[in-house]
Amino acid sequence: MTAGRKVIVVMPAYNAELTLERTYRAMPAGSADEVVLTDDASGDRTVEVARRLGLAVIRHDRNRGYGANQKTCYLEALRRGADIVVMLHPDYQYDPRLIPGLVRPIAEGRFDIMLGSRMTDGSAVSRGMPLYKYWGNRLLTAWQNAWLGLKLSEYHTGYRAYARGVFEELPYAGFSDDFIFDNQLLVAAAGRGLTIGEIACPARYERDSSSIGLRRSLKYGLQVLWLSLAARRRARTKPSPPGR
């Protein structure tokens, strides 16, 4: 399935004590060579649970933010020799059984990035996604497709897989430490001509699943709009190759 590629699953964690083990146990046997958890100064027993499960653990000395947590995850995965990196939230919202479906298209060289989309089967609301998040997701995705020239069903999923070369090509260390980091990665990848694929990923919305509130969602939405406009402006002002 992986054509000899080393697959590392990374888990950016914050207060995931109650869901981490269930998430880890649901991963298909042999779907990853290693699992790395980065704890963003949780106030619960996330680190203790991760160590008991035998995961590689890195702990921030203070809460640095979702984007900063991912940066630590990716740096560590690359240091460990990952060819493909899968980001799986340890809150059991996304189905770990889909890891092989995310990895295979990258291992086969068909895509640089794979996304687990919650929007392809129409079940997001029935599974518990708040209506404001559902419609915000749909509208922002339509906006970004129009401005970036892509045809994705969702830009805002937290379930992703990346080829190593994505991190070697994109200046992700300089991206935001906040939630907009995910979107910055996709916009930058699109600007560099990297290929992005999707598979359907029905998500769970349970009491222990992590989520951001309305206020932070509005802030994120405004950042997405600005980011797309800025990317389009850069594309329009990009100089033409010599001879044209």
Side-chain angles (χ1 to χ4, degrees):
M1 181 193 76
T2 63
R5 308 285 186 88
K6 184 172 185 178
V7 177
I8 294 183
V9 170
V10 297
M11 293 183 175
Y14 182 67
N15 291 338
E17 172 190 355
L18 298 178
T19 55
L20 170 57
E21 182 166 359
R22 188 166 34 156
T23 303
Y24 175 70
R25 299 292 185 197
M27 290 175 51
S31 60
D33 296 286
E34 296 182 50
V35 180
V36 175
L37 180 139
T38 299
D39 181 76
D40 203 23
S42 294
D44 64 2
R45 297 180 60 257
T46 296
V47 169
E48 288 84 344
V49 173
R51 287 176 175 158
R52 175 171 57 80
L53 292 172
L55 310 187
V57 177
I58 299 173
R59 188 172 194 178
H60 288 169
D61 57 356
R62 59 181 175 80
N63 187 271
R64 301 181 186 179
Y66 176 61
N69 201 345
Q70 285 193 65
K71 292 175 189 179
T72 300
C73 285
Y74 300 140
L75 283 170
E76 181 63 15
L78 297 181
R79 188 187 71 80
R80 290 171 175 264
D83 297 304
I84 300 173
V85 183
V86 180
M87 180 178 69
L88 173 64
H89 290 182
D91 64 355
Y92 203 57
Q93 183 180 130
Y94 299 101
D95 193 338
R97 294 174 299 176
L98 297 177
I99 290 173
L102 291 169
V103 168
R104 186 177 295 110
I106 297 175
E108 293 174 349
R110 292 188 281 129
F111 292 101
D112 300 302
I113 300 171
M114 285 293 298
L115 308 177
S117 172
R118 299 167 292 180
M119 297 294 164
T120 57
D121 68 353
S123 68
V125 174
S126 65
R127 288 175 174 270
M129 179 182 280
L131 279 174
Y132 76 87
K133 287 192 175 183
Y134 174 80
W135 286 112
N137 192 317
R138 295 296 298 270
L139 291 171
L140 288 173
T141 292
W143 168 272
Q144 290 197 277
N145 277 335
W147 282 96
L148 301 177
L150 301 180
K151 295 181 180 180
L152 299 178
S153 65
E154 181 182 14
Y155 288 77
H156 316 293
T157 175
Y159 199 11
R160 299 159 176 235
Y162 300 94
R164 181 185 183 92
V166 172
F167 300 111
E168 293 175 336
E169 182 165 348
L170 301 182
Y172 71 96
F175 293 168
S176 173
D177 288 342
D178 206 348
F179 286 97
I180 195 64
F181 175 86
D182 274 346
N183 208 258
Q184 286 177 308
L185 266 179
L186 289 186
V187 171
R192 297 288 181 92
L194 301 179
T195 52
I196 305 170
E198 297 178 297
I199 61 171
C201 176
R204 307 176 186 90
Y205 291 86
E206 301 177 356
R207 183 184 63 180
D208 298 321
S209 297
S210 62
S211 184
I212 62 174
L214 177 59
R215 183 174 181 179
R216 297 199 74 179
S217 295
L218 289 172
K219 176 185 175 182
Y220 171 81
L222 292 173
Q223 289 175 319
V224 168
L225 295 176
W226 179 88
L227 186 63
S228 304
L229 287 170
R232 184 62 175 264
R233 284 198 298 268
R234 286 194 299 270
R236 285 179 172 176
T237 58
K238 189 175 181 179
S240 300
R244 289 190 178 182

